[in-house]
Amino acid sequence: MIKEIIKDEEFLKQPAEPATPEDAEVAQDLLDTMAAQESCACLAANQIGVNKAIIVYDDNETPRVMYNPRIKSAMRPYKATETCLSLDKDSEVTRFFDVKVIYEELVDGNLLQREVRLRDWEAQIVQHAIDHCKGRLV
Ligand SMILES: [Zn+2]
């Protein structure tokens, strides 16, 4: 279901609670909401009003879901200017060009741990979404 994007900074600044297999509907709502936006590369669950650590991002037109994502290692920092659906102005942030991310994937009702190495744009949008899970706004 398409949800409204939350802009309430007090709500968005709360660290997200761990996601569980019962949150599959939240992941679907995130995918639907991301698809309905004109330009949206990533979305975290708190941006649709659910304070759980789930993110979605658009990997070359293929939407992906990560439960409980975290950065395991990061290399090659650079400065980036980012926009956010939940914020009205752009922000300057430090991102890493090359990251390893640990996350969980929902398979047959169970969360299985995965690890992926991301670079460049994909790495950047996932870092942005993981920041949302920490309650950090760019
Ligand atoms: Zn954002």
Side-chain angles (χ1 to χ4, degrees):
M1 198 189 295
I2 298 167
K3 301 282 185 176
E4 202 179 317
I5 302 291
I6 303 287
K7 294 192 169 192
D8 176 354
E9 291 195 18
E10 287 310 309
F11 181 78
L12 293 169
K13 279 179 179 164
Q14 304 171 81
E17 314 241 328
T20 70
E22 281 69 53
D23 294 316
E25 200 178 313
V26 177
Q28 188 57 51
D29 289 345
L30 278 170
L31 291 170
D32 295 344
T33 306
M34 181 167 71
Q37 303 296 321
E38 215 164 276
S39 66
C40 176
C42 66
L43 209 53
N46 56 5
Q47 291 181 278
I48 60 165
V50 181
N51 201 24
K52 290 292 185 91
I54 309 175
I55 67 168
V56 295
Y57 69 99
D58 199 333
D59 165 21
N60 269 320
E61 316 278 304
T62 308
R64 298 194 186 271
V65 180
M66 289 180 168
Y67 289 77
N68 302 313
R70 60 185 177 86
I71 305 286
K72 184 187 180 193
S73 62
M75 288 183 292
R76 299 172 61 193
Y78 63 97
K79 293 268 182 225
T81 303
E82 293 183 351
T83 56
C84 176
L85 283 180
S86 292
L87 297 175
D88 293 327
K89 55 175 177 28
D90 294 354
S91 320
E92 276 265 307
V93 282
T94 299
R95 294 295 182 212
F96 295 87
F97 184 84
D98 189 339
V99 295
K100 276 190 193 145
V101 178
I102 293 178
Y103 66 100
E104 289 167 343
E105 183 182 3
L106 189 59
V107 181
D108 298 331
N110 297 304
L111 287 175
L112 305 181
Q113 189 165 304
R114 307 275 192 227
E115 184 176 321
V116 66
R117 186 171 183 184
L118 302 174
R119 293 186 182 83
D120 202 2
W121 171 242
E122 224 183 324
Q124 184 178 350
I125 58 179
V126 168
Q127 287 168 81
H128 180 107
I130 290 175
D131 274 356
H132 275 295
C133 294
K134 294 176 182 163
R136 192 183 295 157
L137 295 168
V138 292

